Amino acid sequence: MTEIGLTVNGVLRAASAEPRRLLSDFLRHDLGLTGTHVGCEHGVCGCCTVLFDGEPVRSCLMFAVTAAGHEVTTVEGLGAGGMSPVQRAFQDCHGLQCGFCTPGFLCTVTALLRDNPRPSEDEVLEGISGNLCRCTGYQNIIKAVHRAADLIAEESGEADR
Amino acid sequence: MKPPPFDHHAPETLEEALEVLARTGEDAKVLAGGQSLIPLLNMRLAAPAHLVDINRVASLDTLEVTEEGVRIGALARHARVERSAQAAATQPLLRAALRHVAHPVIRNRGTVVGSLAHADPAAELPAVLALLEGTVEAASVAGRRTIGAAEFFAGPLESSLRPGELATGAFFPALPANAGIAFAEVARRHGDYAMAGAAALVTVDEDQRVSSARVAYLSVAATPLVLDLTGVLERRPPVTCDWAAAAAYARDHMDTDEDIHASAEYRRHLAGVLTERVLRAAAQQAL
Ligand SMILES: Cc1cc2nc3c(=O)[nH]c(=O)nc-3n(C[C@H](O)[C@H](O)[C@H](O)COP(=O)(O)OP(=O)(O)OC[C@H]3O[C@@H](n4cnc5c(N)ncnc54)[C@H](O)[C@@H]3O)c2cc1C
Ligand code: FES
Ligand code: FES
């Protein structure tokens, strides 16, 4: 067991774990942050996606020891004081049913819109191509991404005024 | 689906990394982006006693673009190389192929050099390195060596790196003058490993006739297959080239296998179709 410390959602957190501890399990079991979901543990479903130093990555394909000293944002950290525009857009557009895939989509889409505030339809499809959803049929998720882009634009417009 | 136990080593310099690799030898695996190795560990298809995690070796996180080509350090992620405008200008085949490697989120972690070292016959980058006749740079406590692509890919999931050796970087030569490239593949879903894929490099002479045409294939053989189709195309201008003859030649010169994804015959068919498609596009670009 080694002591592993990293910044999660802006707070310095530490716990001891074996080197083989996946970041996904470290977040869920050692830090109690169960918002990050685990579907396949081989990189295919995207449910476990978190932001690692700001970039979306699979937390099931990284060891917690590798993440030590870095910054991780999980779904719990996306909406500081209320829901983020991306979260509200998913709610507005019915972009979820059971919600299992949702944390991964939210993290992926948050980074996508930060890098590309007005993605085209194709760019949205490419951006979420690595996240699987077994319920919604994707149409409402795609709508939610465009809606989130609108919300972010509106809100940053308001902030400028 | 949890990885088996291992000793974790987190060297911060290349010297330290090589020293641990020398000590642990055959019992060790290098951990780069982990996007191929960690799934194997999670599924217990691999159980190395030691993992040498190179993610803290900052000196390997490099991307150098010169007139000669693109040199990619062992920690440069797919996404970094894909986004580099300089790399794309010097060797456009890199970006063209990287767009087919998994999904954007996987490309944020996976490394180009890790993909070469993994030597998956269905992976895009080994075919690109083979087509361009690039090299892999390897280091161990015994010294350094440069390995040509043809020698580097020894078999399916098998590189010619020796125990104790680390691939420190790879070099992809620049696009020559009067040349064009193209990449295409067929996969069941975007981002999946392809059932067949092809990359072409075509050069034209001063009379705008095809003076060289080579195609590298993925997913059709145990290692990247490179075919020289210059002779078949008979040094004609692209508009009069017999692309179908090149496709037929390619189909006849590969020994495809069947697996759960596709029959050998279907794979060969796809490779033929892709041959024509990438040759036409690369020739057009060369003009
Ligand atoms: C869902 C999913 C889909 C994917 N789809 C594709 C795809 O379509 N095409 C594709 O090409 N890839 C695909 N990949 C794999 C991805 O591209 C990997 O990033 C890449 O194959 C390996 O790079 P890595 O840095 O993650 O290496 P790792 O997983 O860390 O290592 C892979 C192997 O290479 C060895 N290795 C790594 N770096 C070095 C080094 N510097 N020196 C010596 N040995 C080294 C390791 O020991 C290990 O054996 C996919 C992955 C996932 C999870
Ligand atoms: S649990 Fe990580 S991708 Fe499925
Ligand atoms: S909402 Fe159920 S898997 Fe996506």
Side-chain angles (χ1 to χ4, degrees):
Chain A
M1 301 279 260
T2 37
E3 186 74 0
I4 299 169
L6 61 164
T7 305
V8 182
N9 301 328
V11 181
L12 209 62
R13 302 287 304 265
S16 66
E18 281 184 84
R20 63 169 167 153
R21 194 63 144 173
L22 298 170
L23 178 59
S24 46
D25 288 337
F26 186 76
L27 293 168
R28 292 175 55 82
H29 303 307
D30 300 306
L31 301 183
L33 293 168
T34 52
T36 299
H37 291 171
V38 170
C40 69
E41 291 186 328
H42 59 276
V44 172
C45 74
C47 294
C48 68
T49 307
V50 299
L51 302 179
F52 179 78
D53 292 338
E55 296 301 327
V57 304
R58 299 288 197 244
S59 61
C60 74
L61 297 187
M62 188 185 292
F63 292 112
V65 274
T66 305
H70 290 266
E71 282 191 24
V72 173
T73 304
T74 65
V75 67
E76 288 94 341
L78 290 183
M83 289 205 289
S84 75
V86 177
Q87 287 171 311
R88 275 180 279 133
F90 270 69
Q91 186 180 42
D92 292 353
C93 299
H94 202 82
L96 61 145
Q97 286 186 25
C98 78
F100 193 82
C101 66
T102 314
F105 271 100
L106 293 174
C107 289
T108 306
V109 171
T110 299
L112 173 72
L113 294 178
R114 179 199 61 206
D115 296 345
N116 183 0
R118 269 294 163 209
S120 66
E121 187 78 3
D122 280 352
E123 287 167 339
V124 171
L125 292 179
E126 160 81 1
I128 62 168
S129 64
N131 290 72
L132 301 183
C133 174
R134 300 290 82 174
C135 304
T136 63
Y138 300 103
Q139 301 307 321
N140 286 349
I141 293 179
I142 294 162
K143 278 186 207 145
V145 180
H146 292 298
R147 171 83 183 132
D150 290 344
L151 288 178
I152 294 168
E154 276 169 29
E155 284 162 30
S156 69
E158 273 164 29
D160 291 345
R161 255 183 269 140
Chain B
M1 295 245 311
K2 302 295 174 193
F6 52 80
D7 284 342
H8 180 256
H9 305 269
E12 295 191 353
T13 63
L14 179 59
E15 290 64 36
E16 272 173 60
L18 298 182
E19 190 272 319
V20 189
L21 282 170
R23 203 154 29 82
T24 50
E26 297 212 0
D27 298 331
K29 278 264 173 209
V30 172
L31 174 69
Q35 305 300 290
S36 293
L37 183 54
I38 298 182
L40 291 175
L41 295 172
N42 286 354
M43 293 188 268
R44 304 251 172 151
L45 294 172
H50 300 269
L51 275 196
V52 183
D53 182 344
I54 59 170
N55 284 282
R56 289 178 202 277
V57 185
S59 67
L60 294 174
D61 192 2
T62 55
L63 174 62
E64 292 157 38
V65 184
T66 63
E67 272 178 30
E68 284 79 51
V70 182
R71 198 193 158 277
I72 300 171
L75 263 193
R77 317 280 169 187
H78 295 313
R80 177 172 174 197
V81 180
E82 181 191 356
R83 284 185 202 137
S84 164
Q86 265 186 311
T90 300
Q91 183 42 268
L93 188 53
L94 277 170
R95 183 181 277 176
L98 277 164
R99 296 221 155 125
H100 294 273
V101 175
H103 310 286
V105 174
I106 306 286
R107 298 202 290 269
N108 280 340
R109 276 313 280 177
T111 64
V112 168
V113 173
S115 176
L116 300 174
H118 192 55
D120 191 320
E124 288 79 4
L125 296 170
V128 169
L129 192 81
L131 178 72
L132 301 175
E133 298 178 312
T135 53
V136 175
E137 292 147 26
S140 70
V141 288
R144 290 172 178 269
R145 63 183 181 124
T146 302
I147 311 164
E151 189 195 337
F152 187 75
F153 302 107
L157 301 179
E158 193 188 338
S159 78
S160 55
L161 289 169
R162 300 173 188 142
E165 242 176 359
L166 179 77
T168 52
F171 179 74
F172 293 82
L175 184 70
N178 306 317
I181 57 90
F183 188 94
E185 67 175 41
V186 179
R188 293 242 184 247
R189 288 164 305 185
H190 179 68
D192 278 6
Y193 281 104
M195 292 182 286
L201 176 63
V202 172
T203 321
V204 295
D205 62 18
E206 55 275 22
D207 299 321
Q208 310 277 309
R209 294 172 311 177
V210 172
S211 53
S212 93
R214 293 166 66 250
V215 178
Y217 299 88
L218 47 124
S219 275
V220 305
T223 54
L225 171 73
V226 183
L227 293 180
D228 192 331
L229 300 166
T230 314
V232 190
L233 291 174
E234 297 177 330
R235 213 181 182 102
R236 291 164 183 269
V239 277
T240 61
C241 277
D242 188 352
W243 306 114
Y249 179 93
R251 277 196 302 271
D252 289 346
H253 287 79
M254 56 181 65
D255 193 10
T256 47
D257 269 336
E258 68 169 355
D259 63 11
I260 53 166
H261 304 293
S263 68
E265 192 44 48
Y266 183 49
R267 271 218 157 92
R268 208 167 23 245
H269 166 75
L270 290 178
V273 172
L274 291 170
T275 301
E276 201 168 330
R277 202 176 289 169
V278 291
L279 280 175
R280 275 179 195 276
Q284 186 60 37
Q285 202 188 78
L287 291 176

